[in-house]
Amino acid sequence: MPRSNRPKGRRAGTGEDETDDLSRMLAGWRRTEVKRDGVWHVQPISAAQAGKTYLCPGCLLDINPGVAHMVTWRGDGVTGDAADLAARRHWHLHCWKIK
């Protein structure tokens, strides 16, 4: 019997809700940093994982696909983890360091 080369994970088009997104982000590699304005969860995105264009809130320039960057969200927000994760932002590495 020939083997199947199809991926065994979730199929495209099944959609995922906020709890799946939250648990996926919280389970990934991340660290917690304390900045002047509070506690932040920081997750690096490698150049290979960066597939979309984002606007960096630090310099207001685009983060192009294929550029390593950081995703950050509040760690001390009063609205809860799901709301903080929904408000996450993508930063250039340098912009995040000087924030």
Side-chain angles (χ1 to χ4, degrees):
M1 181 164 124
R3 68 184 181 101
S4 173
N5 288 333
R6 294 184 185 155
K8 302 275 191 243
R10 275 196 314 248
R11 294 191 323 211
T14 59
E16 62 181 39
D17 59 9
E18 286 183 19
T19 57
D20 288 342
D21 192 33
L22 175 64
S23 58
R24 183 173 49 87
M25 288 294 283
L26 291 177
W29 185 86
R30 67 155 196 221
R31 65 180 181 268
T32 302
E33 293 184 11
V34 178
K35 295 280 190 176
R36 292 182 301 246
D37 58 347
V39 177
W40 292 86
H41 296 300
V42 179
Q43 183 167 354
I45 303 295
S46 70
Q49 292 173 316
K52 293 170 55 177
T53 300
Y54 297 98
L55 182 67
C56 175
C59 64
L60 300 178
L61 296 174
D62 285 341
I63 302 171
N64 293 317
V67 175
H69 61 280
M70 297 289 209
V71 177
T72 65
W73 65 96
R74 297 292 301 213
D76 59 355
V78 296
T79 57
D81 286 337
D84 291 337
L85 186 59
R88 66 188 177 268
R89 294 293 173 255
H90 295 252
W91 291 74
H92 289 111
L93 300 173
H94 177 73
C95 294
W96 178 251
K97 287 180 186 176
I98 64 172
K99 175 185 183 319

